[in-house]
Amino acid sequence: MSATPQLPPVAKLEQKTVIDLVAKGKRIDERGPESYRPIQIQVGLIEKANGSAQVHLGKSKVLAGIKVQIGTPFPDTPDEGVLTVNAELVPLASPSFEAGPPSEAAIELSRVVDRGIRESKALDMKSLVLQKGKTVQVVYVDIYVLDHDGNLIDAASMAALAALVNSKVSKMEVKGDEVINKGGHHQLPLNNYPVAVTFAKVDRTIIVDPSLEEEQVMNARLTVTIDKNGDICAMQKGGLYGFTPDEVRKAVHMAVGKAAENRARIMAAAKG
Amino acid sequence: MSATPQLPPVAKLEQKTVIDLVAKGKRIDERGPESYRPIQIQVGLIEKANGSAQVHLGKSKVLAGIKVQIGTPFPDTPDEGVLTVNAELVPLASPSFEAGPPSEAAIELSRVVDRGIRESKALDMKSLVLQKGKTVQVVYVDIYVLDHDGNLIDAASMAALAALVNSKVSKMEVKGDEVINKGGHHQLPLNNYPVAVTFAKVDRTIIVDPSLEEEQVMNARLTVTIDKNGDICAMQKGGLYGFTPDEVRKAVHMAVGKAAENRARIMAAAKG
Amino acid sequence: MSATPQLPPVAKLEQKTVIDLVAKGKRIDERGPESYRPIQIQVGLIEKANGSAQVHLGKSKVLAGIKVQIGTPFPDTPDEGVLTVNAELVPLASPSFEAGPPSEAAIELSRVVDRGIRESKALDMKSLVLQKGKTVQVVYVDIYVLDHDGNLIDAASMAALAALVNSKVSKMEVKGDEVINKGGHHQLPLNNYPVAVTFAKVDRTIIVDPSLEEEQVMNARLTVTIDKNGDICAMQKGGLYGFTPDEVRKAVHMAVGKAAENRARIMAAAKG
Amino acid sequence: MNKLPEPKQPEKLIDDKGLRIDGRRLDELRPIKLEVGLLDKADGSAYIEQGKNKILVAVYGPREAHPKHIAMPERAVIRCRYHMAPFSVDERKNPAPSRREMELSKVIRESLEPVVLTDLYPRTTIDLFIEVLQSDGGSRCAGITAASLALADAGIPMKEMVAACAVGKIEGKLALDLSDAEDKYGEADIPVALVPNAGLVTLLQMDGHLTLSEFEQGFTMALEACKTLNAMQREVLKKKYATIKEAAEEREEAEVVA
Amino acid sequence: MNKLPEPKQPEKLIDDKGLRIDGRRLDELRPIKLEVGLLDKADGSAYIEQGKNKILVAVYGPREAHPKHIAMPERAVIRCRYHMAPFSVDERKNPAPSRREMELSKVIRESLEPVVLTDLYPRTTIDLFIEVLQSDGGSRCAGITAASLALADAGIPMKEMVAACAVGKIEGKLALDLSDAEDKYGEADIPVALVPNAGLVTLLQMDGHLTLSEFEQGFTMALEACKTLNAMQREVLKKKYATIKEAAEEREEAEVVA
Amino acid sequence: MNKLPEPKQPEKLIDDKGLRIDGRRLDELRPIKLEVGLLDKADGSAYIEQGKNKILVAVYGPREAHPKHIAMPERAVIRCRYHMAPFSVDERKNPAPSRREMELSKVIRESLEPVVLTDLYPRTTIDLFIEVLQSDGGSRCAGITAASLALADAGIPMKEMVAACAVGKIEGKLALDLSDAEDKYGEADIPVALVPNAGLVTLLQMDGHLTLSEFEQGFTMALEACKTLNAMQREVLKKKYATIKEAAEEREEAEVVA
């Protein structure tokens, strides 16, 4: 069951400061309403993964790792590989995270990142088939949150994309009953590069890339995931209140530019 | 672990009223001790199921749905299909039901309905085999309790039987490695029509079809499942106290007639 | 998460008595520091198991049962059978055990026993293969604690070994797609006979085979598992404090003799 | 081999006359049936049929929070469970909650939170149980529409009711209220919930592919449909209270006669 | 292919002399061994062998309810776990509780509730752990018979002890106390528990096929067998107290001598 | 067929010059990198690279025990979770905790309990989260080494820091600090944790085959390595405090100037 979340007690005064600043077009960390925090992207940190990337979004830190395994296709898509996106909100990252099965926040995070990749057709699913209906590559995208200072969706979405771009997989084929290495490596075949851009509504103002302090006072959250053509491939509204239709429209338009900027950062970092 | 259940606090006065009435051969809803509440049976409500039926037993409402899937037989019965009966006591149906894995009440309910079907050999298990030892039809009978006003066993048993009678399954066969439709439909092959009849002992009186108010004051409960020949195929005693041997004998004899009446209702409704 | 355990409140006075006695080179049950409690071993009690043994170590009672089933090998060891050791701390055995999934104590117990068997290469894993990469025997060693009066590791280790020695398995082979009995039985092929010896440090004294009362006041615990050649095959330190290097060395040396004594007892009992 | 033979993909989702596989126009809602107050034990209940969707919603509460530590001192906690019956979909669904059901429970709860006057009932819970008996695309939206009615039926004070509807893209065209097959073989789906008078969008998700102008157009279609649905919701409640009033008047008359 | 070769089905369950595969007559119980007080840590314990069934029962309590919210202000809560060891059956049983074990835990608890004087120990629990070390048909009944003894051994006040026994139908004939093979290849099984002096049936289940007159006859056989088992139970307790008394007298004598 | 082609077993673990596959001598530690204070939200944190191990540790606490019943009236409860990221090993690891992770969480906690002054913080918990981002043999020891630093970084009062290192046997020879491949194809592994000044061994496990004299020799090697690691730990803290002091002095100077 999903229940109204119990937010950590934030000092009322601090809360008011955050809101008042936003109302004046300012922010507590001195950014403008439409600015991201500093973004750092590092790829290839996890040598045992088929791809990996760490994103620092301000003080938020997210690590994504790709593992490619061998498995069977789903019965209704015998000519496609399998993509699994999983997010772990490990208790190392925040006093509000608990050990145990994925919380609804972790599930929402993984599903929003998953939709971005899947719906933009970023990963060429057909190329993952080794033997139709029988043997396919299973691509695991595991998102590991290491420090939670807000806007995990954008950090995770960037880390996942950078890790995919960073990927290196042995060339394989099926011989008889076995999967064997053909020799050589290739990148996972990517056709698109989706980037999530998240907005928060604080008081009556729309800001981009909310920090944790801002998330704790926001009315609602809207993520718009934009593909390489500037089209929308996923959206997700969250939070206890709503947006006016015009706020939605404004956010969607703003997302296109922000996504392009962040995509450029990812590509630069991932290709080294 | 099974623990003495915590019953909801029923006002002592109300409790006494229910008991006193039964002691006088009357009941709080003006039925006689040997009368069922009004029974309504509707079949075919769930088009996506292979069979479905909704039973209103007084204010109790139970929906049963049949799904036929393809699977493998159990290793020790390679020449039989698989029957799985599952009951969900969803929290929508009662303030006393909770979300989560099946409670012991849900497990008992499903197992008593299962035993009636299985032990009366109602479903022809051998006819479900598509390829001996390899491919069989798996028949899921899912019981969904929608409103709990007592005597769920009888309501569920009737709903399950009506849904089986209502069933419509594509004709299938195995060709090479695949299951294909041969075209056409058939009813699941039924050889028997078991009906559960439940008695409660309130004070020292045996009544049939206890309502929730009666269940909350009953000493014990006895279900007798009767097959189409008037023979017994399953029994289950429940509750914190017991029955005298003579009370058991009386209930068993009474069950035969009640089962026949309810079976006639089911067949009429299911065949439409 | 592993948490500092909440020990049952042992009367301070009683605690002091246990410690004072050990400090004087004595023990509450009148043993010497280097003596085991009386050991009784009975094999073959569970006819339905492929092997079984019950060990009484003082008032501690542990039952081990072997089941041999058919399964598939792990992909990375296609030419080996499978060994699974599992320990259940059922709530029947102690007021401190709870029903539910295995506690960390149960997991540690099973893993220490497992390591003794596996690392000493006691069980000939290759001989369990019926068809390389496809069909192997899976040996389950299930440890059932019936009465917990301390030092479960040694009792479980002895019971597991005695049950393996007591084992009797049908001779099998694979014909076509089926496993069939060739007729006759054999013992599981054993190449080694590991025995665990556990020490506790109470105050500053090392004692062997701690009883429950001693475990409740001990600083730390050290298990040394010795193989038939007097070599070490497994070790495990437990408890909230530590050992000096010299205490460790002393325990390791003492373990060799104790293991030999207990191994002789097991072999005598198991071979009958 | 653990699957039934699949139903075939329809050859076309839109025919030459611009009609969809179920005969609807692109901007047409499926037939909708709304009922309230069907369940005996729940404090409030509602039922919706929208196309082949059949969804039952129960509300329990405001009631004492259990376990106690989930209570909030200054407001009621809203809890929501979106759950699918095993027989509600083509392939039997395991009754344990899936990740999808957990996500939908969250976004549905969030779509309703803004209208419920939770501060009237501190330390309590208001529990919403949405049982999808049959699913046919758009079940989260239909669930929200019905849940608002169930809350009203339970007498939970609300600012107004929330209505929800999805718009999608099939064969390159925007289409209202996608059915299962349209969702499966279509190109995009945007579920939207609207609080009509406040003009607040409280559910908004999307998956697939949409240009900005397609989104703009589709979003507007969805908002209009939400308003239509909201009118239906109000109609149902009006009818209910009329019935109650009638019954009361008849009772009064009867008393006068007596 | 994940199964051992199956043991063969016996050709006949009843031979020409009317004897069963283990040589018993139709109305004969299997050999029974009862012991009490074997466990050190439990407050009470008992052990039963009935045929190849080997079942150990421990009782803990009355003890403080934990967690507290399960306590009842006016009576003790009885908790019961029927559990099978992984090696107790032909094919290894997963140690996690199965649906069957959960149902049996419930009906066993309900069979014992009526005799325990729970109102003497409000706010406590009395916990019963039934561990089936080897199972051979009729383990729920043997478990009840042993559990009553364990309760007595723990000094829990009871009105009297409950005894249980099953009767079944094999090859068309009623037979007492079915073994595993008889249960598997037979036609019906009726486990019954009786509170002998009160004349109360507190466990009654049945599966298979029985005419009414077969039921009537079998039910009576089972009730009689319960009475026989109850006499055995009482004998065991008598012997236990005799031993205790003897030991006490010896001690007294020794003291006098000293 | 659900596995990738396996990496090949190295032909030799020790070459003709007595060097190991990564070029180390038998008594040589892998390159080690230690950092503290990298995480923003944690009360203390540390990071270790030891060979290809990459391990991040966070400490939260002392903080209020939650749920309350786990609190102890006379001391802080230490809780510890050793957990591996799914991508940390060759074959993807399911994120649910394995039995191995549960055992390691216990022995790591027990290795640190003796040095923490838990009696200063009754009724609280001190929580240690060890996340193995990449695993390369010896991760439990590296985790302990880093955890001590994270506790220091969190300002938790300790008697001293614990350091840990494993020694193993490969191709019949004792070798310090086994890598993954050496552990897999070697003959024994002995993880050891030492409280250096107190001279207390607080972690000691072993699996494989060792004669008594091999154990004696290897154990001594491991203890020496723990002392080396402890010096590194102290160095890192010294550097941290130097940096803090410098920053403070600069601030002071700046203030003087201003």
Side-chain angles (χ1 to χ4, degrees), chain C residues 2-6 75 104 108 110-111 115 119 230-237 239-240 242-243 245 249, chain F residues 3 71-72 75 78-80 99 103 106 109-110 113-114 129 199 201-202 204-206 208-210 212 216:
Chain C
S2 173
T4 312
Q6 293 193 303
E104 76 179 23
E108 186 184 37
S110 64
R111 285 177 62 85
R115 278 205 284 272
E119 299 296 333
D231 296 335
I232 315 171
C233 57
M235 294 177 74
Q236 183 84 347
K237 178 257 163 186
L240 296 189
F243 292 90
R249 290 179 188 114
Chain F
K3 275 260 315 173
M72 289 182 169
R75 56 163 289 175
I78 299 186
R79 297 192 299 178
C80 175
R99 294 167 70 92
E103 185 197 351
K106 177 178 190 287
R109 175 180 56 72
E110 291 175 332
E113 292 259 8
F129 301 111
V201 176
T202 59
L204 179 56
Q205 298 183 288
M206 183 273 187
H209 174 268
L210 287 179
L212 261 63
E216 174 60 39

Side-chain angles (χ1 to χ4, degrees), chain A residues 106-144:
Chain A
I107 287 171
E108 186 184 36
L109 175 58
S110 64
R111 286 177 62 85
V112 172
V113 173
D114 182 294
R115 278 205 285 272
I117 299 170
R118 195 180 301 276
E119 299 295 334
S120 70
K121 304 190 194 318
L123 188 61
D124 182 352
M125 302 296 278
K126 295 206 189 294
S127 75
L128 302 176
V129 177
L130 296 176
Q131 205 179 11
K132 190 181 155 177
K134 289 208 172 155
T135 314
V136 300
Q137 290 182 315
V138 180
V139 177
Y140 288 98
V141 179
D142 279 294
I143 291 161
Y144 231 63

Side-chain angles (χ1 to χ4, degrees), chain A residues 2-6 75 104 108 110-111 115 119 230-237 239-240 242-243 245 249, chain D residues 3 71-72 75 78-80 99 102-103 106 109-110 113-114 199 201-202 204-206 208-210 212 216:
Chain A
S2 173
T4 312
Q6 292 192 304
E104 76 179 25
E108 186 184 36
S110 64
R111 286 177 62 85
R115 278 205 285 272
E119 299 295 334
D231 295 336
I232 315 170
C233 57
M235 294 177 73
Q236 183 84 349
K237 178 257 164 187
L240 296 189
F243 292 91
R249 290 178 187 115
Chain D
K3 276 262 312 175
M72 289 182 168
R75 57 164 287 176
I78 300 186
R79 296 192 300 178
C80 174
R99 295 167 70 93
M102 289 178 73
E103 185 197 350
K106 177 178 189 287
R109 175 181 56 72
E110 290 175 332
E113 292 259 8
V201 175
T202 59
L204 178 56
Q205 298 183 289
M206 183 271 189
H209 174 269
L210 287 178
L212 262 61
E216 175 57 42

Side-chain angles (χ1 to χ4, degrees), chain E residues 196-209:
Chain E
N197 291 333
L200 270 187
V201 175
T202 59
L203 171 84
L204 178 57
Q205 297 183 288
M206 184 272 188
D207 61 67
H209 174 269

Side-chain angles (χ1 to χ4, degrees), chain F residues 122-142:
Chain F
R123 305 200 161 283
T124 67
T125 62
I126 295 168
D127 295 332
L128 259 165
F129 301 111
I130 299 172
E131 288 291 343
V132 179
L133 305 179
Q134 185 161 272
S135 164
D136 183 30
S139 66
R140 85 195 69 182
C141 289

